Structure formats: structure tokens, C-alpha cells
Amino acid sequence: MQKRSLYGVLCCVVLYLYFSGCQTGVEPSPNPGILRITLKADEADTTIIIQSDTSRFSRWDEFYFFISQGRLYRGRNYALLYADLTIERTPGTILNILQREWLNGAPIKPTDVTEINTKNSRYSKSVIFESYVPPGDYDSLSFALIAYEILTFVPKVYQNPVQLPMGTAPQIQFPAHITVHEDRVTQIDIEISPFRSLSRYRDSFLFDRKIKIIGVQNL
């Protein structure tokens, strides 16, 4: 019995030494990083000429953007982007790009009575994508951005259809060097000039999206 017990112990030691020295060739996968993309209107873009009127921003204006199909590229490969980090994986966002807020960050409501101007208010910044992506270096970002209508109220109410120029794809490509780090947030801030992006075409506006990346930061 003692010989059998000793033999069993030796077998266990040999097996332990063998498997502890084995290399599977599969490296452990790194944890993902988070890519956050924000969008806001250019603070200097506050007016548009409609017919004979110069229409300026107000608390009631509506210019809804429909944003989807977010992708972060490394060469021809890409990671899909979603609206938030929930498991629902919402593919896109709808936002009113003309929404304004007080300087303390509180949203301006249609029922607020205080007169708004460029000194006591600003355009709201919105997160349009926030998604887990593999860490590494990327070379471009893209997403689809379309709009159908703009509604302004000062000096009077104008409701105008909006469309992309003929032959323009909904997808916008942003060449940029973007580095995503493991377990960290990379934020890309994008700015659009909503009024300057519009040009009159018959009874509607062409939406020639004047948009650019203004910052990339690792948080």
C-alpha cells in the first residue's frame, strides 16, 4: 500500500510540472476600452435667413438629427458603435441639435420666461455614441447623419423640409488618429454648424453637413 501511495504522489507531481510548463499559444484577451462620441452645435452659428427674415435661435426651435451606423475603423476592419453601454445595443440616437441650456447645465424649457441670449445660454452637448471597443490604434470614424425638417420661431414661425444634396450618402467619414486604451474612456468631441449647413433649394433646404472633430481626449 505504501508503494502505491508513493507512486500516486509522484504521478501527481510529474503531471503538475508538465502542465504548468505548457504554453497554449493563446494570449489572454485585453479588456475593452470605451469610445464616447459627443456632438454639439457651433456657438457662433445662431442665425439663418429664411425668405426676408433673419431667424435666430429660440427656446422652441427644433432641428432633429437621426444618427446611426457608427463605426470605428482600423484599415478595412471596424468595430460597431452603439448609443450607450446597455446590453440593448441601441444602434442610433435622435437629438434636437438646437436644444439650448443655461450656463449651469440645466436644460432650457419652452415654458421658461427668462429671455435667452448668447451670454446666459449655450447649445447642449449630447452623447451620440458610447460603446465598448477593443483597445488599440484606429484611423477613422464614421456614422450616418440625416435630418428631415427644421422648425424656427423667431421672428416668426417657419417650418421647412431638409434633405441631403443629390448623390450625398448619409454616412460621414472622419479621418483621425484615435487611440483606445484598455479600461479607459476615449472621448471624441464633434461640432456642427446647423444653420450654416443649410442652403435654400426651392421650397426646402439642402443639408450640406458642415461638421468636424474638434477634440480627442483620453479620460
Side-chain angles (χ1 to χ4, degrees), residues 21-71:
C22 283
Q23 297 282 336
T24 65
V26 178
E27 296 297 326
S29 298
N31 292 329
I34 294 175
L35 184 71
R36 178 186 301 146
I37 302 173
T38 71
L39 178 65
K40 74 181 297 293
D42 177 3
E43 294 295 341
D45 190 25
T46 58
T47 62
I48 186 172
I49 296 176
I50 303 178
Q51 296 183 14
S52 59
D53 292 316
T54 299
S55 184
R56 74 174 191 86
F57 66 83
S58 75
R59 72 189 76 242
W60 307 283
D61 295 340
E62 295 181 359
F63 190 8
Y64 280 98
F65 285 0
F66 299 84
I67 301 167
S68 61
Q69 301 177 44
R71 295 178 179 180

Side-chain angles (χ1 to χ4, degrees), residues 42 53 78 100 198:
D42 177 3
D53 292 316
Y78 61 83
R100 294 186 71 85
L198 299 175

Side-chain angles (χ1 to χ4, degrees), residues 99-194:
Q99 175 67 49
R100 294 186 71 85
E101 63 185 22
W102 302 112
L103 297 182
N104 64 3
I108 296 175
K109 303 175 183 178
T111 53
D112 289 342
V113 295
T114 303
E115 181 181 355
I116 63 172
N117 53 56
T118 56
K119 294 183 179 180
N120 67 3
S121 67
R122 63 193 175 200
Y123 288 121
S124 299
K125 178 187 287 188
S126 299
V127 175
I128 57 174
F129 293 105
E130 189 165 25
S131 196
Y132 292 110
V133 297
D137 293 324
Y138 296 85
D139 50 51
S140 68
L141 163 75
S142 76
F143 56 81
L145 192 163
I146 58 176
Y148 296 104
E149 184 180 77
I150 183 171
L151 182 62
T152 56
F153 287 83
V154 175
K156 59 186 179 184
V157 177
Y158 283 103
Q159 187 172 7
N160 293 273
V162 172
Q163 64 186 51
L164 294 177
M166 185 71 68
T168 301
Q171 205 82 4
I172 307 173
Q173 196 82 20
F174 301 88
H177 177 70
I178 301 164
T179 300
V180 176
H181 297 282
E182 185 178 2
D183 294 324
R184 291 182 61 187
V185 176
T186 298
Q187 181 168 304
I188 302 175
D189 296 313
I190 298 178
E191 184 178 82
I192 189 168
S193 299

Side-chain angles (χ1 to χ4, degrees), residues 89-106:
R89 295 200 167 192
T90 306
T93 302
I94 300 174
L95 66 92
N96 178 14
I97 197 64
L98 298 181
Q99 175 67 49
R100 294 186 71 85
E101 63 185 22
W102 302 112
L103 297 182
N104 64 3

